[in-house]
Amino acid sequence: MEHKIIVVGDISGTTKTASALAQGFANQFPGAKVKAYPEMRKDSWAELTQPGTYRDATLLVWSKSRDLGERFNLPGMLAAASRAGCPSVSFHLDRWWDLAREPEIKTDPFFRSDYVVTTDGGNDDRWRHAGVNHIWMPPATTYTDTQWVPEPDDDAAGKVVFIGLWERYFHMNEYRWRGRMIKRLKRLLGPRLVTYPGKDARRISGREMASVIAAASVVIGDSCIVGGTDHYWSDRVPITLGMGGLFIHPRVNGMEQFFEDGKHLITVPHGDIDAMYQAIISADERPNTDEMREAGRQAVIEGHTFDVRARQIVEMVYPPRTPPAPVEPLSLPSSNSEGSNSGAVSDTISTSTSSTSSSDSTSSSGSGGGGLLS
């Protein structure tokens, strides 16, 4: 099947989700026609609201940024794609339930696509009750971010590093744990704990981030774990592991399906600062940390890049066909029992066909790998 895939979102940089997905579609489906529309341009929406734009299109993928708001005819885009028979997929690496933004689920057209793929897991019943056809996928990073050659970084060398907002965190009202954790660890570790952004509030990314992560003795992580520790973690996990970090993160249900504690990363109970501190101290004495760093990086390359997610999205909408199971040769009935055995032969063929059908169904429900959960 030749695909024509339309991607809508922030395509201002290669690390933006929409750009990374568009590149992932092109990489995974070399014969596909992939067209990316920048979401902040008026002329994009003039085209996206016309059914003719989706002529022969096999997929519309929308990765909306928060800056977009409601300034354009967002429902018109979905309606135009629907009239043209083009399935729509909304894709986001964030979460909504139990946060101040939760009401958006009822009002934002983003949640009215044919498929809504987010990292906000553990809320299957709530998604269904809201009328959203939600598919959970874990977060991803770019393949490029797994390939940086780090440079020496004296500021991070031997330090315990946290990368991300914590003093001016977006969800401070709903999730106060991160601030408490960092403040307590600063008291326990003193100047050995370094946080990015620093006092200059400058964020790091790309090679600079990879250099910090490679130089640090250990990187501590956290995700916005509200409403229970079930199937949500931020892209901080694949980014840090993909860059070869020795990484400590709170334990989350579902993460063990992809990353093994003690092999790819170190996990501690969420909310237990003492356990986090002890894990940091123990990491200094852990042998073969280079093996853990490389194992985590390889796990990300194999299952948690946007190239992988691009293929999973396509296979979610267009499940690959499974070859029929081989049928055992049937023994021909003897001539003196033809009448009584003809029914038995027919039953055997029927049973074999039924078994093949069941196998196809099972394969389709899990297509794309990575343990897709709804």
Side-chain angles (χ1 to χ4, degrees):
M1 180 179 187
E2 291 190 2
H3 287 284
K4 176 183 175 182
I5 301 173
I6 294 173
V7 179
V8 182
D10 183 354
I11 58 172
S12 60
T14 57
T15 61
K16 301 294 185 181
T17 299
S19 293
L21 276 177
Q23 188 60 56
F25 289 126
N27 292 345
Q28 292 293 301
F29 303 94
K33 297 177 181 178
V34 181
K35 183 169 183 178
Y37 285 86
E39 65 179 359
M40 301 302 289
R41 289 177 51 171
K42 187 180 296 184
D43 57 343
S44 292
W45 292 94
E47 288 190 37
L48 289 168
T49 51
Q50 300 301 315
T53 300
Y54 307 93
R55 186 176 296 112
D56 301 324
T58 54
L59 203 58
L60 164 65
V61 180
W62 182 16
S63 181
K64 179 186 177 185
S65 70
R66 297 199 64 78
D67 292 338
L68 180 61
E70 304 293 335
R71 68 185 70 185
F72 298 111
N73 185 8
L74 313 185
M77 174 183 68
L78 297 179
S82 179
R83 285 197 297 272
C86 175
S88 57
V89 177
S90 292
F91 182 93
H92 212 288
L93 296 181
D94 221 327
R95 70 178 314 168
W96 276 262
W97 293 110
D98 300 307
L99 296 175
R101 65 174 68 153
E102 181 180 316
E104 295 175 10
I105 295 171
K106 292 183 178 180
T107 61
D108 195 326
F110 182 80
F111 297 99
R112 297 298 170 259
S113 290
D114 297 322
Y115 303 84
V116 176
V117 179
T118 79
T119 58
D120 194 348
N123 292 296
D124 295 359
D125 291 340
R126 299 166 89 179
W127 286 116
R128 279 193 291 268
H129 184 73
V132 178
N133 183 25
H134 181 264
I135 309 295
W136 177 78
M137 290 187 188
T141 185
T142 64
Y143 178 77
T144 299
D145 272 346
T146 69
Q147 301 299 308
W148 292 113
V149 177
E151 299 173 343
D153 191 307
D154 294 337
D155 293 334
K159 298 294 179 65
V160 178
V161 166
F162 177 84
I163 302 174
L165 296 175
W166 63 278
E167 289 182 295
R168 294 176 294 278
Y169 183 51
F170 302 121
H171 307 300
M172 288 183 65
N173 291 333
E174 303 99 324
Y175 188 67
R176 299 179 181 275
W177 152 253
R178 181 175 301 174
R180 291 199 296 267
M181 177 186 73
I182 297 298
K183 288 177 181 178
R184 173 85 183 280
L185 289 177
K186 278 183 173 290
R187 290 197 296 270
L188 292 170
L189 295 168
R192 191 182 173 202
L193 175 60
V194 179
T195 59
Y196 297 83
K199 294 181 179 179
D200 59 1
R202 186 178 62 84
R203 299 190 185 191
I204 60 174
S205 62
R207 187 188 302 275
E208 184 179 11
M209 181 185 290
S211 299
V212 168
I213 288 172
S217 64
V218 65
V219 180
I220 57 174
D222 181 46
S223 300
C224 184
I225 304 172
V226 295
T229 56
D230 194 7
H231 286 85
Y232 173 78
W233 54 93
S234 75
D235 61 351
R236 169 184 288 104
V237 174
I239 290 173
T240 303
L241 292 177
M243 290 182 172
L246 182 61
F247 192 44
I248 304 175
H249 189 276
R251 195 168 299 135
V252 178
N253 296 334
M255 186 181 286
E256 73 284 353
Q257 299 175 42
F258 310 98
F259 304 111
E260 183 180 335
D261 185 16
K263 179 180 179 180
H264 302 114
L265 79 172
I266 301 166
T267 64
V268 297
H270 181 258
D272 192 336
I273 300 176
D274 291 333
M276 177 71 79
Y277 175 70
Q278 289 302 321
I280 292 169
I281 301 304
S282 298
D284 290 334
E285 303 169 358
R286 180 181 287 268
N288 302 323
T289 56
D290 287 346
E291 292 182 8
M292 183 179 292
R293 288 174 183 264
E294 183 57 23
R297 178 174 168 272
Q298 287 301 322
V300 171
I301 292 172
E302 292 170 8
H304 302 280
T305 65
F306 282 108
D307 283 30
V308 176
R309 294 293 174 268
R311 177 166 290 277
Q312 289 174 336
I313 289 170
V314 170
E315 293 182 349
M316 173 186 71
V317 180
Y318 299 98
R321 292 187 176 185
T322 304
V327 179
E328 291 294 328
L330 300 178
S331 299
L332 292 176
S334 61
S335 58
N336 62 1
S337 59
E338 182 176 353
S340 61
N341 282 319
S342 61
V345 174
S346 175
D347 289 345
T348 303
I349 294 174
S350 175
T351 302
S352 176
T353 303
S354 174
S355 175
T356 302
S357 174
S358 175
S359 175
D360 288 346
S361 175
T362 302
S363 174
S364 297
S365 68
S367 65
L372 304 184
L373 304 176
S374 60

